[in-house]
């Protein structure tokens, strides 16, 4: 039976719509077709991987949706990783998470795990063995993962919202639109770094600031960074993209000579002229750096690092910094990562120093995805541009943004300590 739609649907798409692949696939395809129409797509395309952000429990509707699909026998058609959940299954009772929340968040985890997915439970799926490659068509949710996939890996995904991501995974199809298409992946805005010291460009603290600047300026357009002399690490690019997708809606960027679709300036703009050029100075970035701190004093209740989820390399760096030190008893030190990276850290021998220092390793979720923080925790310090950007509004806390060295020194002192390997002001 033909389906009355402006989309050009393949025979297989039509069969899915007609229910020939089962009721869950039919439900997913119905939603996908509706959404493809809203996106203005003329057809669907095949995807070969998906990443599901709908895993985070945010209320009854999302849970009901997940359990409905699961009860209909939903199974993913492509390798599908899972984003963070709303629960640290192993440690939630150490925090302010209610048992009602825990029960529902766990049911949502069970529902998505039942669909043949890969239980990565991480917002950094690109740092797992299942990372996509250049040119691969994928459907990913989670803003930081989307921008990393497009910009750093050169894979192709639109910004998939919760609930639609799983429909793509079940059908193996996505609307042929936006960043899936070559012609939409060229740069819009040129950001030329001017006299930014290379020594600053090499440091971790630089990238969340550059990302925040980029997001504020670009919105949902594609920025192209030129004159970056340092060679950023994967973790630095991760931090940059996450910040840009927080302060703006950046889903793609290029760095000339660094990211795979920008070997040259001309390639980054697909041979066209930039529509807008901005000279980025140290003064401009310093203003953004200052804006990431909202705290007015040196009070400190907790440090939170690991947004996006800490990699093994980041866990190792932190372990080296805290070795032989002890956190102040009034300051909690939260490290968010996933179960795989914790296991890797244990095998690498860096878990013990973290625990000896008093770090609390939160797994498979984060402070913004689960209600783990007691309301009495009011002042926070972080290295993450994304945590710094969202936490004042979402958690009603005062934030100090700083280096990892400053975070450790502050956790030891029991108050905010600045000036340790700090931003050059
Ligand atoms: Fe990940 Fe939570 Fe940050 S989901 S990107 S650690 S806000």
């Amino acid at each position: 039976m033909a389906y009355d739609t402006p989309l050009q649907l393949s025979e297989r798409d039509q069969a899915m719509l007609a229910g020939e692949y089962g009721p869950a696939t039919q439900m997913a395809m119905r939603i996908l077709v509706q959404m493809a129409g809203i996106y203005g797509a003329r057809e669907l395309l095949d995807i070969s991987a998906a990443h599901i952000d709908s895993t985070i429990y945010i209320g009854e509707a999302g849970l009901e949706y997940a359990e409905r699909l699961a009860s209909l026998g939903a199974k993913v058609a492509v390798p599908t990783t899972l984003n963070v959940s709303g629960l640290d299954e192993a440690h939630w009772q150490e925090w302010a998470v209610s048992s009602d929340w825990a029960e529902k968040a766990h049911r949502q985890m069970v529902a998505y795990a039942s669909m043949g997915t890969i239980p990565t439970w991480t917002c950094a799926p690109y740092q797992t063995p299942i990372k996509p490659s250049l040119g691969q068509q994928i459907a990913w949710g989670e803003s930081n993962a989307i921008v990393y996939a497009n910009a750093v890996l050169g894979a192709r995904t639109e910004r998939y919202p919760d609930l639609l991501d799983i429909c793509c995974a079940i059908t193996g199809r996505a609307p042929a639109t936006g960043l899936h298409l070559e012609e939409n992946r060229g740069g819009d805005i040129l950001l030329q770094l001017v006299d930014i010291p290379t020594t600053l460009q090499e440091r971790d603290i630089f990238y969340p600031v550059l990302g925040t600047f980029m997001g504020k300026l670009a919105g949902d357009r594609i920025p192209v960074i030129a004159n970056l002399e340092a060679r950023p690490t994967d973790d630095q690019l991760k931090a940059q993209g996450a910040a840009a997708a927080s302060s703006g809606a950046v889903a793609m960027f290029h760095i000339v000579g660094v990211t795979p679709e920008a070997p040259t300036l001309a390639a980054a703009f697909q041979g066209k002229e930039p529509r807008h050029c901005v000279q980025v100075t140290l003064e401009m970035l310093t203003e953004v750096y200052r804006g990431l701190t909202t705290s007015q004093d040196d009070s400190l209740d907790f440090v939170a690092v690991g947004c996006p989820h800490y990699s093994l390399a980041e866990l190792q760096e932190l372990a080296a910094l805290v070795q032989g030190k002890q956190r102040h008893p009034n300051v909690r030190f939260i490290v968010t990562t996933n179960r795989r990276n914790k296991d890797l850290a244990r095998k690498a021998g860096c878990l013990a120093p973290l625990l000896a220092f008093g770090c609390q390793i939160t797994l498979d979720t984060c402070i913004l995805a689960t209600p783990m923080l007691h309301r009495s925790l009011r002042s926070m310090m972080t290295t993450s541009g994304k945590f710094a950007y969202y936490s004042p509004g979402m958690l009603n806390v005062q934030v100090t943004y700083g280096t990892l060295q400053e975070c450790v020194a502050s956790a030891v002192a029991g108050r905010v300590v600045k000036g340790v390997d700090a931003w050059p002001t």
Side-chain angles (χ1 to χ4, degrees):
M1 181 183 79
Y3 192 81
D4 184 18
T5 170
L7 286 174
Q8 294 290 316
L9 294 178
S10 69
E11 277 186 24
R12 193 163 162 276
D13 294 335
Q14 302 240 17
M16 286 191 259
L17 266 180
E20 292 174 25
Y21 288 75
T25 304
Q26 183 180 38
M27 175 176 157
M29 186 49 105
R30 279 181 174 155
I31 295 169
L32 182 56
V33 164
Q34 289 294 325
M35 291 302 293
I38 291 168
Y39 285 128
R42 307 296 299 272
E43 60 185 348
L44 305 179
L45 51 72
D46 283 334
I47 55 164
S48 53
H51 181 67
I52 308 304
D53 190 40
S54 321
T55 45
I56 304 174
Y57 173 73
I58 51 174
E60 296 285 346
L63 174 59
E64 184 183 333
Y65 179 82
E67 291 189 330
R68 171 94 185 275
L69 280 172
S71 71
L72 293 174
K75 296 290 175 211
V76 293
V78 294
T80 299
T81 46
L82 298 181
N83 201 37
V84 298
S85 79
L87 187 71
D88 176 345
E89 284 180 295
H91 306 104
W92 67 270
Q93 285 162 315
E94 298 168 17
W95 298 91
V97 179
S98 70
S99 52
D100 179 60
W101 176 284
E103 188 263 331
K104 288 173 177 164
H106 188 254
R107 276 170 47 197
Q108 192 152 320
M109 292 175 78
V110 169
Y112 280 108
S114 76
M115 299 180 198
T117 53
I118 305 162
T120 44
W121 305 119
T122 186
C123 51
Y126 43 81
Q127 293 186 318
T128 71
I130 314 135
K131 77 174 179 187
S133 53
L134 183 66
Q136 190 176 344
Q137 296 286 6
I138 60 176
W140 273 23
E142 165 54 43
S143 64
N144 100 83
I146 292 163
V147 68
Y148 193 99
N150 279 315
V152 182
L153 302 179
R156 299 184 174 199
T157 180
E158 253 305 302
R159 305 169 184 87
Y160 283 98
D162 287 12
L163 312 186
L164 182 58
D165 47 15
I166 188 64
C167 296
C168 296
I170 291 168
T171 58
R173 302 281 278 166
T177 186
L179 293 169
H180 286 294
L181 307 181
E182 174 77 23
E183 63 266 29
N184 297 328
R185 296 175 66 84
D188 297 309
I189 305 174
L190 176 58
L191 305 182
Q192 284 180 307
L193 304 186
V194 179
D195 296 333
I196 309 289
T198 310
T199 49
L200 178 60
Q201 296 180 24
E202 288 167 345
R203 294 177 50 204
D204 293 346
I205 196 168
F206 178 68
Y207 290 89
V209 174
L210 180 61
T212 303
F213 177 86
M214 206 166 80
K216 283 176 185 279
L217 193 81
D220 64 356
R221 294 172 292 176
I222 300 177
V224 176
I225 294 170
N227 302 342
L228 188 81
E229 287 161 13
R231 284 292 163 270
T233 65
D234 290 351
D235 287 324
Q236 289 170 339
L237 292 169
K238 169 174 81 171
Q240 178 183 341
S246 302
S247 63
V250 173
M252 171 81 178
F253 64 87
H254 299 285
I255 304 177
V256 178
V258 173
T259 54
E261 292 172 66
T264 63
L265 188 64
F269 284 98
Q270 297 186 339
K272 300 180 192 131
E273 285 298 310
R275 283 182 232 154
H276 192 43
C277 297
V278 177
Q279 307 263 301
V280 183
T281 64
L282 182 59
E283 289 69 32
M284 293 160 86
L285 294 180
T286 298
E287 193 179 327
V288 171
Y289 160 77
R290 291 197 177 115
L292 287 172
T293 292
T294 59
S295 185
Q296 302 294 317
D297 58 36
D298 67 355
S299 61
L300 184 63
D301 294 324
F302 69 103
V303 173
V305 297
C307 171
H309 274 178
Y310 250 18
S311 65
L312 175 61
E314 290 170 313
L315 291 166
Q316 288 173 314
E317 184 189 0
L318 177 60
L321 271 177
V322 301
Q323 183 88 43
K325 300 189 177 96
Q326 187 62 53
R327 72 168 168 86
H328 191 281
N330 294 345
V331 176
R332 303 186 87 161
F333 200 111
I334 303 165
V335 181
T336 45
T337 187
N338 52 75
R339 55 188 75 182
R340 175 177 179 270
N341 286 351
K342 186 181 178 188
D343 280 347
L344 290 174
R346 183 182 290 110
K347 287 176 189 145
C350 66
L351 188 60
L354 294 173
L355 298 177
F357 176 71
C359 290
Q360 289 179 282
I361 316 279
T362 294
L363 296 183
D364 306 339
T365 185
C366 81
I367 58 171
L368 300 183
T370 192
M372 59 185 281
L373 298 180
H374 194 273
R375 296 162 81 93
S376 62
L377 298 177
R378 283 281 149 266
S379 48
M380 162 183 174
M381 192 165 187
T382 187
T383 57
S384 163
K386 183 168 180 175
F387 269 168
Y389 188 82
Y390 283 125
S391 295
M394 290 182 69
L395 301 174
N396 192 25
V397 295
Q398 296 290 308
V399 171
T400 302
Y401 173 71
T403 62
L404 190 59
Q405 291 81 356
E406 288 173 325
C407 286
V408 170
S410 301
V412 170
R415 59 180 173 77
V416 171
V417 176
K418 295 286 281 185
V420 190
D421 204 18
W423 183 272
T425 54

